[in-house]
Amino acid sequence: MTEESKVIAEFDPIKKPPKRNKFAFACATLASMTSVLLGYDIGVMSGAALYIQKDWKITDVQIEVLIGTLNIYCLFGSFAAGRTSDYIGRRYTIVFAGTIFFAGALLMGFATNYAFLMVGRFVAGIGVGYALMIAPVYTAEVSPASCRGFLTSFPEVFINGGILLGYVSNLAFAKLPTHLSWRFMLGIGAVPSIFLAVGVLAMPESPRWLVMQGRLGEAKKVLDRTSDSPEEALLRLSEIKEAAGIPAECDQDIVTIDKSKDNSGQGVWKELLIHATPAVRRVLIAGVGIHFFQQASGIDAVVLYSPRIFEKAGIQSDINKLRATVAVGVVKTLFILVSTFNLDKYGRRPLLLTSVGGMVLSLLTLAGSLTVIDRSHEKITWAIALCITMVCAFVASFSIGLGPITWVYSSEIFPLRLRAQGTSMGVAVNRVVSGVISMTFLSLAKAITTGGAFFLFGGFATVAWLFFFTFLPETQGRTLEDMHVLFEGFSWRDSLHGKKSSDDESTAQDENSKSQLQMGATTTKSTNSQ
């Protein structure tokens, strides 16, 4: 094969971007379905909490703690998942997550008192933490660059699907006796975890993890099936080998890896936090920052406490509150699908900035409407309708950008050696902020009113928009091993003035133009020779 032909082969995946790799699609779908566990727990607890409070006569503070602590418990799972996935592999870590959540759901369903219920929340939280970290990592590592954004957004799609299932479960069991309704709502969550754990066993292991274990032959087979062309599979394998420190000329099926230099965790935390290079430091800030702002904008307050919000807006019937909540879940799920099919078309930054801009407007309008209702002594129909509309607008705006892109962006920017631990740090921050908000929302609403709480979330969303605009470059179309090009030698002033983004876009355009010229030249040459 001539050098010119090799160049053409390397650009072959870019030549036909619309074609989806069906095997990679199936693997991403199975892995991402683990995120249903978190979504179901979030959705079902919003309604179950109403009936738990009625059954056991517990306080609002106890409800806040019950709902919010799951996010804190996730920390244990997400931190352990990085090391676990490096030892036993991404696939078996997903199975482990489903098994733990299964046990937690059963414990919650059979709880006899508040303390017993909290134990079940702890166990379920461990499983959710594992699932949150490993699903996007596995999906990013198995996906070809041409559709990585599309496939890596799947975890958020299934989180939304799980939330909707939880809302529907609330509505389905709402008419049972109070002491049974919430038990069925929580306990039924054990059922999907069984099917998920079994289904995941049909997936291959991550090719990047296989390379880090020295199993190059197996990694090549997986890459052959998950790449858009054989040439891309070879290119991806060579890039992973380079990142893993394996010589490019090494073509053995099994190689010995120096365990003191692999990504099993030794020295990774120092490399991330203490001896970080400017590029790694910026990757860490970007990865952690996007997770922080995703939750600081108040999405979990809306999802978990939507029945309370609708009560403040003027809806009194429990069934009507749950019906309105189901409508929110439907909107959230529909708009996440819009984002999923456009991530690789429009890129991360445009969708992210549009999403957060819409969130700012809807949050401030919702806050204003709730404030008007709170200060009025009579029912204001237009304000009630505006509140419901703005809740739907907020979750729709979140779903088209900030929701899925957080997981896509954070899973694709970390270097291979730091990916599992770096992603787990982002998930940890995500869960801490979510836990703080969900454990304090009712108390915060009492202290500064519900409208005031949403004005606060609107302020966080405004700061988030500025952070994303000045600090996050476009990663669309980049291979995972090529991310260092975006971050090496970065200065925040470059991003503020658009220099880095412009340079990246120009480079991408030059590379695309060059590839097209090379393709055209070769095609012409081939035609003439015939």
Side-chain angles (χ1 to χ4, degrees):
M1 184 183 286
T2 65
E3 285 298 314
E4 192 173 32
S5 299
K6 288 181 181 179
V7 172
I8 300 304
E10 288 181 357
F11 282 100
D12 187 58
I14 301 176
K15 197 164 125 182
K16 298 180 180 179
K19 185 178 180 181
R20 303 290 185 192
N21 184 292
K22 293 180 180 179
F23 186 72
F25 180 92
C27 293
T29 300
L30 280 171
S32 302
M33 285 178 70
T34 313
S35 301
V36 167
L37 304 180
L38 172 63
Y40 183 84
D41 189 273
I42 291 173
V44 79
M45 190 52 74
S46 68
L50 297 175
Y51 297 94
I52 293 171
Q53 190 168 28
K54 287 180 180 180
D55 188 20
W56 288 346
K57 305 297 188 293
I58 57 180
T59 66
D60 280 349
V61 172
Q62 287 176 302
I63 287 295
E64 286 179 322
V65 172
L66 175 66
I67 291 176
T69 47
L70 180 108
N71 298 299
I72 304 302
Y73 300 150
C74 281
L75 291 177
F76 298 97
S78 62
F79 273 124
R83 182 66 65 89
T84 303
S85 67
D86 284 342
Y87 276 124
I88 68 174
R90 314 316 197 204
R91 184 177 61 158
Y92 287 113
T93 302
I94 294 174
V95 175
F96 188 49
T99 304
I100 297 174
F101 187 85
F102 172 80
L106 288 183
L107 288 172
M108 289 190 291
F110 287 104
T112 55
N113 54 49
Y114 186 78
F116 194 157
L117 186 57
M118 289 297 291
V119 171
R121 294 292 282 168
F122 174 76
V123 175
I126 299 294
V128 167
Y130 267 92
L132 268 178
M133 195 291 281
I134 197 59
V137 168
Y138 176 89
T139 306
E141 292 184 345
V142 81
S143 304
S146 63
C147 58
R148 190 178 60 244
F150 172 72
L151 296 179
T152 315
S153 66
F154 277 20
E156 183 68 15
V157 172
F158 284 103
I159 288 176
N160 281 269
I163 290 172
L164 181 56
L165 285 176
Y167 288 161
V168 171
S169 176
N170 289 336
L171 197 56
F173 297 114
K175 294 184 179 180
L176 291 176
T178 302
H179 69 286
L180 291 177
S181 59
W182 65 265
R183 295 181 187 278
F184 275 94
M185 293 174 186
L186 297 177
I188 204 71
V191 175
S193 62
I194 301 173
F195 294 102
L196 291 175
V198 173
V200 166
L201 293 175
M203 300 180 343
E205 185 50 82
S206 158
R208 288 179 172 81
W209 184 81
L210 290 171
V211 170
M212 296 304 294
Q213 303 304 307
R215 295 154 62 177
L216 301 186
E218 294 177 58
K220 186 179 184 305
K221 290 178 182 178
V222 176
L223 287 169
D224 285 340
R225 300 189 69 186
T226 59
S227 298
D228 293 335
S229 69
E231 291 81 8
E232 186 195 15
L234 290 173
L235 182 61
R236 289 173 67 188
L237 179 61
S238 66
E239 290 174 338
I240 298 170
K241 285 163 63 177
E242 181 182 356
I246 299 174
E249 63 275 8
C250 180
D251 58 358
Q252 302 174 25
D253 286 346
I254 302 289
V255 299
T256 302
I257 300 293
D258 185 352
K259 295 298 180 181
S260 66
K261 295 181 181 180
D262 70 4
N263 74 324
S264 61
Q266 297 181 10
V268 168
W269 294 112
K270 288 183 179 180
E271 193 173 342
L272 268 175
L273 301 173
I274 301 174
H275 305 301
T277 63
V280 170
R281 189 179 300 115
R282 193 212 168 204
V283 166
L284 182 62
I285 293 172
V288 170
I290 194 169
H291 275 285
F292 171 83
F293 284 115
Q294 186 200 49
Q295 294 302 325
S297 59
I299 184 61
D300 274 5
V302 172
V303 173
L304 286 166
Y305 295 104
S306 51
R308 299 286 189 118
I309 296 169
F310 291 135
E311 181 180 334
K312 286 290 184 182
I315 300 175
Q316 299 303 320
S317 167
D318 284 349
I319 293 296
N320 288 336
K321 292 175 195 173
L322 295 179
R323 285 172 179 164
T325 301
V326 169
V328 171
V330 170
V331 170
K332 199 171 189 297
T333 304
L334 289 176
F335 276 85
I336 193 70
L337 294 175
V338 173
S339 174
T340 298
F341 287 98
N342 286 287
L343 269 173
D344 290 312
K345 182 178 180 181
Y346 297 112
R348 284 49 158 168
R349 272 180 64 94
L351 285 176
L352 188 61
L353 296 175
T354 301
S355 166
V356 179
M359 289 168 60
V360 171
L361 292 176
S362 55
L363 281 170
L364 296 180
T365 306
L366 174 62
S369 302
L370 287 169
T371 301
V372 169
I373 292 172
D374 192 50
R375 295 186 178 183
S376 176
H377 299 292
E378 58 185 30
K379 190 173 182 178
I380 306 176
T381 306
W382 67 265
I384 296 172
L386 190 58
C387 282
I388 297 172
T389 303
M390 286 303 105
V391 169
C392 291
F394 173 69
V395 298
S397 298
F398 177 86
S399 293
I400 64 169
L402 186 57
I405 291 174
T406 295
W407 305 102
V408 173
Y409 204 91
S410 63
S411 65
E412 68 185 1
I413 62 176
F414 285 100
L416 174 61
R417 173 173 165 76
L418 312 177
R419 185 166 298 137
Q421 285 78 7
T423 304
S424 69
M425 282 190 65
V427 173
V429 169
N430 187 291
R431 293 298 90 196
V432 167
V433 178
S434 175
V436 169
I437 288 176
S438 55
M439 283 194 293
T440 59
F441 178 73
L442 295 179
S443 300
L444 180 66
K446 286 181 179 178
I448 63 174
T449 74
T450 306
F454 283 105
F455 274 123
L456 179 62
F457 295 146
F460 276 116
T462 302
V463 176
W465 193 95
L466 294 172
F467 174 78
F468 299 150
F469 180 78
T470 59
F471 206 78
L472 271 61
E474 180 60 69
T475 59
Q476 180 188 18
R478 296 275 186 172
T479 64
L480 295 181
E481 283 66 40
D482 190 38
M483 289 296 171
H484 71 277
V485 174
L486 290 173
F487 300 102
E488 199 169 21
F490 173 80
S491 168
W492 68 270
R493 294 179 180 83
D494 294 336
S495 182
L496 182 62
H497 297 297
K499 179 180 175 182
K500 191 73 177 176
S501 294
S502 298
D503 289 348
D504 289 338
E505 290 173 5
S506 298
T507 301
Q509 290 173 358
D510 290 345
E511 289 176 350
N512 287 336
S513 299
K514 182 179 178 181
S515 68
Q516 293 296 330
L517 286 172
Q518 289 169 330
M519 290 176 190
T522 303
T523 303
T524 303
K525 182 178 179 181
S526 176
T527 303
N528 291 339
S529 65
Q530 291 176 353

